[in-house]
Amino acid sequence: MPNSPPPFNRLSTTCFAFRGYNFENLGSTPELLAHPEYGPIMRRRLVECGEIASQNVGRKIDLIRRVEAREEVGLNAYADAIALIIGAELAHLDILRELFYVEIEQSQYFFGYSLGEIVALCASGALSVEDAVGITTAMADDTASLAHGCQLAVVFCRKQELPLKLVQQCCIETNQEGDELIGVSAVLSPNSVLLIGEGTALDRCREKLAERLPCRVFFKVNEHRWPPMHTPLIWRNSINTRAAMFMAKMKSGLKPPQPPVLSLVTGKRSYDEINLRDTIYRWVDQPQLLWAVVYETLRSGTETIIHIGPGPNIIPATYHRLADNVQIQTKGSLGSRTLSTFVNRPWLKNLLPERAALLRAPMIQHVMIEEWLLAQKF
C-alpha cells in the first residue's frame, strides 16, 4: 500500500477537527461533488445521509439537488443542513482513505465543535451513520423553531479573564426574572464565551456583568439566528429528554471510539464503551468547552490539525487567534494591523507561566481539507 502523503505521514501527532452547523454550510461541496475523482465518493455519502434524514423528518431531503444548485442550507432547512454537514465530513474521510490511503484510525485524536462531535464519534466507529444522523435530525425542526426568539453574542473582556462562574451566575439571575431564558453555549477562551438568550435576556445579563467586573465587558451580537444548542433553552421542547429516548433504542454506542475523541462536553478524552449516551445527553444542553480541548491538544503534543467539513470556521479561528496573541506576548513579529488588534492582553500574559503549552500554538500546522483536496493533481 502506498505511503500516506504529507501532511498525513505523522498521524500519531495529528488531530482531525470536525466543524459544526453554521449559517453557511455548502463550502466547497459543489466543487468536490463535480470532481471526477472525488464526486462519486461525495455523492455516495450525501445520498446516504439524505435518505436517513428523510426517514427521521418525514419529508424528502435531496442533498444532491441542493448541492448541484448551490442552494445554501441554513436554519430554514436545519435538518438538511445537518445531513449535509455529516455527509460532507464523512465523505472527506472516505476520500482520504480510498484515494490517498490515509489510515485515519491511527491519528492522535478526533474532536468536533457541536455537531462536529457527533460526526467525530461516527467517524471513529462509536456511532453508526444511522444513529449519528438520527440523533441530530429527529428533533431538528423543533430545535430550529426555538431560534426565532433568540440572539447569540460573543461576550469577552480584553484586559482580564472572564470568570465562567460569574457569567453563569448572571445567567441564572436573569432566568429568575421572568419567562425569558439565557445560557452559556460555548467557552471559547479564558476571556470569551458564547451566550444565547431570548428576548431582552442578553441586555439584562450584560447589565449584571458590567456591575460586577472592573473592566469593560463587550457583547458582540451576531446578526444571524442560531438554534440554542448547548443551553437550557432547548428544555422548552424537551429536546434533551427526547434525544435520550432516541439513544436508549439505538443499536450503536457500545464501544470506545478509535482514535479517541476529545469531548467538548468534558474538555478531555472521556468516551468509553458505556458512557456515550450519558455524554451526548449532556452535549445537548451543556456548554461546549472548546478552550479546554484546544489546550489539551497543545499539552499533548499535537503538531498538525486537519480541519474537516465544508468551510471550517470556529475551530481554526480559535487556534489562529491564540497563536497571534501568543506571538504578541512573546514579542513575535506580526503586521502592524494585527499588532494593533492584539495589543495589551494581560489575561494571556498571566496564563503563560503556568500553562507553558500555550506557547506551542504558533507552531501547529493547520490543513483545511477542502483546500488541500482541490489542490491535488491526478
Side-chain angles (χ1 to χ4, degrees), residues 258-302:
Q258 181 59 41
V261 172
L262 296 175
S263 173
L264 269 68
V265 179
T266 64
K268 54 189 178 182
R269 174 179 170 175
S270 302
Y271 286 104
D272 58 30
E273 64 275 12
I274 62 170
N275 70 2
L276 182 142
R277 287 164 174 80
D278 177 64
T279 305
I280 297 179
Y281 178 79
R282 295 166 57 198
W283 169 90
V284 177
D285 61 7
Q286 294 186 20
Q288 294 278 281
L289 304 180
L290 178 58
W291 173 259
V293 166
V294 167
Y295 182 74
E296 179 61 22
T297 61
L298 298 174
R299 186 199 64 79
S300 60
T302 300

Side-chain angles (χ1 to χ4, degrees), residues 39-93:
I41 299 173
M42 180 67 68
R43 179 176 295 269
R44 182 180 70 207
R45 280 297 191 183
L46 292 179
V47 168
E48 177 187 30
C49 291
E51 290 178 348
I52 297 169
S54 297
Q55 295 168 6
N56 280 281
V57 302
R59 61 178 173 82
K60 176 66 174 177
I61 292 180
D62 188 342
L63 298 180
I64 300 298
R65 181 194 64 78
R66 284 190 179 275
V67 172
E68 289 181 337
R70 296 181 178 268
E71 182 180 329
E72 190 56 78
V73 281
L75 192 61
N76 62 335
Y78 188 42
D80 303 54
I82 289 171
L84 172 64
I85 294 166
I86 296 175
E89 294 187 340
L90 293 177
H92 293 167
L93 298 185

Side-chain angles (χ1 to χ4, degrees), residues 40-317:
I41 299 173
M42 180 67 68
R43 179 176 295 269
R44 182 180 70 207
R45 280 297 191 183
L46 292 179
V47 168
E48 177 187 30
C49 291
E51 290 178 348
I52 297 169
S54 297
Q55 295 168 6
N56 280 281
V57 302
R59 61 178 173 82
K60 176 66 174 177
I61 292 180
D62 188 342
L63 298 180
I64 300 298
R65 181 194 64 78
R66 284 190 179 275
V67 172
E68 289 181 337
R70 296 181 178 268
E71 182 180 329
E72 190 56 78
V73 281
L75 192 61
N76 62 335
Y78 188 42
D80 303 54
I82 289 171
L84 172 64
I85 294 166
I86 296 175
E89 294 187 340
L90 293 177
H92 293 167
L93 298 185
D94 290 343
I95 291 168
L96 290 178
R97 288 191 186 98
E98 296 175 27
L99 300 183
F100 298 98
Y101 309 103
V102 178
E103 297 180 357
I104 293 166
E105 296 75 13
Q106 303 303 313
S107 58
Q108 185 183 19
Y109 299 121
F110 284 173
F111 70 96
Y113 184 84
S114 191
L115 176 62
E117 183 160 334
I118 304 299
V119 188
L121 289 168
C122 179
S124 66
L127 279 178
S128 67
V129 181
E130 291 78 11
D131 289 334
V133 176
I135 293 168
T136 51
T137 60
M139 280 74 69
D141 290 344
D142 284 345
T143 304
S145 71
L146 295 172
H148 298 293
C150 299
Q151 287 183 305
L152 178 146
V154 181
V155 181
F156 60 98
C157 291
R158 286 202 170 102
K159 293 188 177 181
Q160 71 164 72
E161 291 187 46
L162 184 62
L164 180 59
K165 285 188 175 181
L166 176 59
V167 177
Q168 292 172 322
Q169 181 179 352
C170 290
C171 288
I172 291 171
E173 293 175 5
T174 302
N175 291 340
Q176 292 174 326
E177 295 172 348
D179 189 49
E180 296 173 343
L181 294 175
I182 188 170
V184 178
S185 182
V187 180
L188 304 179
S189 72
N191 73 319
S192 63
V193 300
L194 290 183
L195 288 183
I196 300 180
E198 299 171 327
T200 63
L202 276 179
D203 290 333
R204 289 183 284 119
C205 187
R206 184 206 312 253
E207 293 172 359
K208 290 175 173 58
L209 279 171
E211 291 171 357
R212 301 179 195 187
L213 286 173
C215 67
R216 183 178 176 185
V217 182
F218 296 85
F219 273 62
K220 185 177 180 182
V221 179
N222 193 282
E223 63 179 303
H224 301 280
R225 297 295 181 185
W226 298 87
M229 289 297 298
H230 320 302
T231 76
L233 279 67
I234 56 86
W235 297 344
R236 291 208 181 275
N237 284 341
S238 302
I239 305 298
N240 55 335
T241 52
R242 290 161 63 195
M245 287 297 295
F246 182 100
M247 289 186 287
K249 300 296 184 181
M250 70 185 188
K251 303 301 182 184
S252 62
L254 289 173
K255 65 178 184 178
Q258 181 59 41
V261 172
L262 296 175
S263 173
L264 269 68
V265 179
T266 64
K268 54 189 178 182
R269 174 179 170 175
S270 302
Y271 286 104
D272 58 30
E273 64 275 12
I274 62 170
N275 70 2
L276 182 142
R277 287 164 174 80
D278 177 64
T279 305
I280 297 179
Y281 178 79
R282 295 166 57 198
W283 169 90
V284 177
D285 61 7
Q286 294 186 20
Q288 294 278 281
L289 304 180
L290 178 58
W291 173 259
V293 166
V294 167
Y295 182 74
E296 179 61 22
T297 61
L298 298 174
R299 186 199 64 79
S300 60
T302 300
E303 296 177 353
T304 304
I305 297 178
I306 312 296
H307 296 279
I308 302 294
N313 49 5
I314 194 168
I315 295 176

